[in-house]
Amino acid sequence: MSIVALILAAGQGTRLKSKLPKVLHRLAGRPLVLHALDAAAAVTGGRPVLVVGHGAEAVRAAVGERASYVVQAEQLGTGHAVLQGRAALVGQADEVLVTYGDMPLLRPETLQALIERRRETGAAVVLLTIDALELVDFGRVLRAPEGGVTAIVEFAQATPEQRALPERNVGAYCFDAAWLWAALPRLPLSPKGEYYLTDAIALAVTDGRRVEAVKTDDLAETIGINTRAQLAQAEAALRERINTAWMAAGVTLIDPATTYIEPTVAIGPDTVIAPNTHLRGSTTIGAECEIGPNTVIVDTTLGARCVVRQSLLESAWLAEDVDVGPFAHLRSGARLERGVHMGNFGEVKNATLGPGVKMGHFSYIGDAQIGAESNISAGTITCNYDGVKKSKTVLGERVFLGSDTLLVAPVTLGDDAQTGAGSVVTRDVPANTLALGVPARVVRERGQRLTEKRPEGR
Ligand code: UD1
Ligand code: CA
């Protein structure tokens, strides 16, 4: 059977009191609508159709090719929103999965259960419900004495007796497409002047069609974002879900309540994550690493056995056995090869530190290539920007920089070169020589004593 997902995302989200359309508010770093979209796409396999209206252009820009779109120009209710998809979708699929773009915690497994139930029973509609008295303003599920669902009554229209019923409409449905497209134009106008999708349930019963309900017991799945308080609640629930899964996969989280891992992150087993650590975007952490506390890692790859303390890593790449921090800042294009030690108050941008490089204290390395086993002493700075253009610094292997060396790029230091403390290096330094002074000049071969003669021609 062919199936299409329709996700409603046209509402304004008045209660968020925001310029941003509701479904673009972020949860675990990603717009709400992408959470809903991923869950739907995971079960239908195809590209979901998004009903957009309020802030349509911004929503399209954020979602792009991941969805196709139908516009609901005026927000006349959830039933009216689904109706806007009819022209594009009629005859295109046998089933329509409908979810709300403001419900980011619905799990693919749950949506799959709705679809399976419909295929088993041939129901006109299968809806998702939960027994939860605490969900005060949710639609109430009415059942006949023999148990079948007969209708959903919205909270505002429900009688005190109906309000006391425990079963709630979560807001996810799998419809028989042919029945849905024929039934939608018959939805009644609600007392609020809207067309409610929930009224389709009673229509199916009137039509003599079967209605089925699947119950979830996961309260997190029901979180719909109408307010900023619910956004924070969803953040906590999603965090708990993600962190529980990583612990089950063999990752130690010392304090899951203060560990923030976005759904797009991957972590190897036996890695230990200390409190107040934020792992974001397309970050991958290898096995047996120690991360945190107080660390933010964004779009960065770490090999096995890395240690990162109290640091900020953005768009960087670390091989195995690298240790970083405290108070290090890796920026875009930083590459730290195997065994690099980068201590406190360092910044590396668009630069490679070769295997075994040591950079202990207070340094800026930008637009540079540092050869294996070189030593970047305290206070080293690559002067990579002359106000107009960026230039490159290249160090060979086993270069030893004295404290407070300024490398005025473009400049190259050969293998085994050395600089004296406080050198301002404006010219290339050949291999195996010592340069010092301001500006730095080669004084002798590295390792020779001062009283010995300078190398020929230098
Ligand atoms: C809806 C259900 C309610 C259920 C609750 C669960 C209806 C009528 N009611 O109520 O039974 O318990 O969800 O959270 O469906 N939207 C549009 N166009 C519109 C109106 C809404 O696209 O004209 C979108 C919204 O952007 C939102 C979703 O549909 O993403 C749900 O709308 P919302 O107004 O939040 O419905 P609830 O009042 O939460
Ligand atoms: Ca809602």
Side-chain angles (χ1 to χ4, degrees):
M1 268 199 195
S2 61
I3 181 162
V4 65
L6 195 68
I7 302 173
L8 310 190
Q12 177 177 8
T14 320
R15 284 171 283 171
L16 287 169
K17 302 195 170 80
S18 177
K19 278 199 271 186
L20 199 65
K22 164 150 91 170
V23 294
L24 294 187
H25 279 259
R26 281 172 189 271
L27 179 72
R30 310 176 75 214
L32 289 175
V33 66
L34 290 187
H35 292 270
L37 206 91
D38 283 354
V43 292
T44 65
R47 207 156 61 134
V49 177
L50 211 56
V51 181
V52 292
H54 203 88
E57 281 321 303
V59 175
R60 267 182 217 255
V63 175
E65 298 292 301
R66 279 173 281 214
S68 57
Y69 301 89
V70 234
V71 176
Q72 184 191 26
E74 228 184 325
Q75 280 73 63
L76 298 179
T78 49
H80 180 261
V82 175
L83 182 61
Q84 306 315 298
R86 187 168 75 150
L89 295 176
V90 71
Q92 300 288 308
D94 306 315
E95 295 175 305
V96 185
L97 180 73
V98 178
T99 60
Y100 299 156
D102 67 349
M103 294 185 53
L105 282 114
L106 271 178
R107 289 177 298 131
E109 300 88 304
T110 303
L111 299 177
Q112 188 63 43
L114 295 181
I115 297 165
E116 274 162 24
R117 179 70 69 82
R118 215 205 66 76
R119 290 178 187 175
E120 286 156 18
T121 61
V125 52
V126 181
L127 65 147
L128 183 65
T129 72
I130 188 167
D131 291 331
L133 289 168
E134 58 266 57
L135 300 177
V136 175
D137 57 359
F138 276 48
R140 280 9 185 206
V141 177
L142 310 190
R143 288 184 183 258
E146 59 280 14
V149 174
T150 55
I152 298 172
V153 185
E154 289 305 303
F155 174 73
Q157 279 94 53
T159 64
E161 294 73 32
Q162 290 168 335
R163 287 183 179 184
L165 294 170
E167 194 175 10
R168 307 291 195 253
N169 174 40
V170 173
Y173 319 82
C174 184
F175 288 98
D176 173 337
W179 178 82
L180 175 69
W181 301 132
L184 285 174
R186 293 187 278 131
L187 285 177
L189 193 61
S190 80
K192 273 196 163 177
E194 291 189 2
Y195 297 93
Y196 291 156
L197 183 61
T198 44
D199 285 333
I201 307 302
L203 269 185
V205 174
T206 309
D207 286 354
R209 291 290 305 263
R210 197 158 168 170
V211 174
E212 287 281 323
V214 168
K215 261 189 205 179
T216 176
D217 54 11
D218 178 4
L219 207 54
E221 286 200 287
T222 69
I223 299 174
I225 314 295
N226 302 313
T227 65
R228 302 224 188 207
Q230 285 166 333
L231 189 58
Q233 191 193 353
E235 193 77 53
L238 182 55
R239 180 157 67 241
E240 190 186 341
R241 188 187 282 178
I242 291 171
N243 289 353
T244 302
W246 282 120
M247 289 187 283
V251 176
T252 294
L253 307 182
I254 293 172
D255 181 16
T258 60
T259 304
Y260 309 83
I261 305 171
E262 291 184 358
T264 41
V265 170
I267 311 171
D270 283 325
T271 282
V272 177
I273 300 181
N276 194 25
T277 293
H278 304 248
L279 306 178
R280 297 191 184 144
S282 59
T283 289
T284 301
I285 312 270
E288 297 171 55
C289 291
E290 293 177 38
I291 312 293
N294 307 326
T295 291
V296 179
I297 303 183
V298 188
D299 297 334
T300 290
T301 298
L302 276 73
R305 299 174 304 279
C306 288
V307 178
V308 180
R309 305 273 185 230
Q310 319 236 31
S311 291
L312 172 60
L313 279 52
E314 304 170 286
S315 304
W317 182 92
L318 281 65
E320 305 83 41
D321 304 298
V322 173
D323 82 277
V324 169
F327 314 114
H329 188 187
L330 296 186
R331 294 168 54 205
S332 167
R335 256 184 95 84
L336 275 52
E337 303 280 359
R338 177 190 275 272
V340 165
H341 162 70
M342 176 176 171
N344 43 202
F345 306 109
E347 174 179 343
V348 175
K349 183 218 74 178
N350 188 33
T352 298
L353 306 189
V357 165
K358 293 191 169 45
M359 170 175 164
H361 340 261
F362 321 110
S363 291
Y364 170 58
I365 301 295
D367 301 304
Q369 175 83 38
I370 310 295
E373 305 296 335
S374 288
N375 186 80
I376 314 249
S377 296
T380 296
I381 292 171
T382 51
C383 309
N384 60 326
Y385 185 53
D386 60 8
V388 180
K389 63 178 191 311
K390 302 275 173 67
S391 298
K392 200 161 179 195
T393 300
V394 179
L395 268 61
E397 299 187 354
R398 299 170 304 280
V399 171
F400 188 94
L401 300 178
S403 297
D404 237 343
T405 294
L406 304 186
L407 300 160
V408 183
V411 70
T412 298
L413 282 72
D415 290 348
D416 301 293
Q418 184 176 6
T419 64
S423 302
V424 177
V425 182
T426 56
R427 289 192 207 162
D428 291 355
V429 179
N432 206 38
T433 62
L434 167 68
L436 49 81
V438 181
R441 293 297 173 252
V442 173
V443 294
R444 61 180 188 272
E445 288 195 357
R446 182 173 172 184
Q448 278 183 314
R449 302 173 62 93
L450 248 185
T451 50
E452 292 174 54
K453 205 171 156 286
R454 283 185 178 201
E456 283 307 312
R458 287 185 187 135

